[in-house]
Amino acid sequence: MQLYNKLSAKEREALLEEAGEERLTLSFYKYAKIGNPHLFRNHLFVTWHEQDVLGRIYVAHEGINAQLSVPAKRFKEFKEFLDGINFLKDVRLNIAIEQDLKSFLKLKVKVRDKIVADGLNDETFDVTNKGVHVDAVAFNELIEDPDVVLVDMRNHYESEIGHFKNAITPDVDTFRDSLDIIEEDLRDHKEDKKLVMYCTGGIRCEKASAYYKHKGFKNVFQLEGGIIEYARQVENLGLENKFLGKNFVFDHRRGERITNDIISHCHQCGEPCDTHTNCANQACHLLFIQCEKCAVAMENCCSDDCIEIIHLPEEEQKRRRQGIPNSNKIFKKGRSEKLKFKK
């Protein structure tokens, strides 16, 4: 019984291209009490490996957070498997607006302490006492209310390429950082203002809404299904789209376009651009915004130093990477003194 991925990303990419079959990129989450996350993790991996499902899945005692690529021809089988799990029956699936054959190249199912790294002590408040969920119709009406404070609960590199009109977009690196900032900024308006939050697919707002209610906010709302579901409802119902730009996603696509607005700039030349990339130097791997012109001129790197490194022999590159931590650049996404036009 195979419990771990054995193919490299390149090997999987070749197989996907050879097969040429349609795949669906989707995501879902569910807060639920899971007694044995490791056993549940193995159950998911065995089944999804057999179904040729790829993606990144986090399992914890508090539930599951999944981002997946599913063969279109096996979607019914995939859905029936989910419905066979008591707490996942009829769970909302956020289907991506833009599909990509290679959105995920491996199946990774990991057991974590939490399904979202929120840095909160859940024992101090009732995580089930959530805010009011609103659909796209109600959301559009709600955010026109002058007593509403609309907050983007994502990180700076996400909101940089796309956000709702008039939203507060905290300049933060982590979800946990934004919680304290918002509470401090609105501490005098916990009763007279309506706090409306949104994120990519809803999971971060799920926990944040309960947290803010615990902190004394009386009117807390969240966008049901996040930006992904909002964009789908706007298209299907012919609603006014109040989002600007792209929705950052955590797979190889790095974003899906919601509107044609380009609200960000290339971090190297300053020209309008909203295409994220990772520096080609594996020892750096910095996530940043780079236009096509700079991608050619800079050889997909973030700096001249990194260009020099990628031209070294592979063995020399590996030797230089040994013992050098790069997590600061990876997780401080889009922040580097080398990026001239990063705000």
Side-chain angles (χ1 to χ4, degrees), residues 111-265:
V111 175
R112 293 285 180 87
D113 291 333
K114 292 190 173 188
I115 56 177
V116 173
D118 53 34
L120 296 173
N121 180 1
D122 294 353
E123 296 180 359
T124 63
F125 66 102
D126 183 1
V127 297
T128 66
N129 185 24
K130 301 173 291 188
V132 178
H133 287 223
V134 294
D135 61 15
V137 175
F139 180 83
N140 276 1
E141 295 177 356
L142 189 60
I143 62 177
E144 293 301 319
D145 187 334
D147 289 327
V148 159
V149 177
L150 179 61
V151 180
D152 191 321
M153 296 305 297
R154 302 172 301 156
N155 300 326
H156 73 93
Y157 57 89
E158 299 173 80
S159 60
E160 183 176 8
I161 62 171
H163 54 74
F164 281 100
K165 300 173 184 176
N166 301 320
I168 296 173
T169 56
D171 185 24
V172 295
D173 296 311
T174 69
F175 170 61
R176 183 66 183 89
D177 291 340
S178 65
L179 294 176
D180 292 337
I181 291 175
I182 297 303
E183 183 186 2
E184 176 63 24
D185 288 348
L186 300 179
R187 62 181 178 178
D188 296 328
H189 300 285
K190 292 184 176 182
E191 296 191 10
D192 65 321
K193 294 292 185 181
K194 298 174 184 177
L195 176 59
V196 181
M197 300 175 291
Y198 69 89
C199 55
T200 307
I203 189 170
R204 283 174 276 190
C205 294
E206 195 88 359
K207 184 68 71 71
S209 67
Y211 176 79
Y212 283 129
K213 291 186 70 174
H214 166 70
K215 288 293 187 176
F217 287 85
K218 302 300 182 183
N219 302 292
V220 182
F221 303 82
Q222 71 177 83
L223 177 59
E224 172 74 23
I227 300 165
I228 297 174
E229 180 61 19
Y230 175 86
R232 184 169 301 282
Q233 291 182 20
V234 163
E235 182 178 356
N236 292 342
L237 300 176
L239 304 176
E240 179 185 357
N241 192 342
K242 297 189 178 184
F243 190 87
L244 298 171
K246 292 173 72 173
N247 179 29
F248 185 94
V249 293
F250 294 88
D251 58 55
H252 288 279
R253 296 173 299 153
R254 299 190 182 90
E256 49 183 18
R257 185 158 298 287
I258 307 300
T259 71
N260 291 325
D261 302 281
I262 298 179
I263 66 172
S264 53
H265 299 83

Side-chain angles (χ1 to χ4, degrees), residues 2-7 12 43-54 74 107:
Q2 183 173 331
L3 294 176
Y4 298 93
N5 177 74
K6 293 183 178 181
L7 293 178
R12 176 66 68 178
H43 177 55
L44 293 178
F45 188 94
V46 169
T47 302
W48 284 342
H49 175 70
E50 189 278 327
Q51 293 178 352
D52 196 25
V53 173
L54 304 172
R74 304 192 72 171
L107 175 60

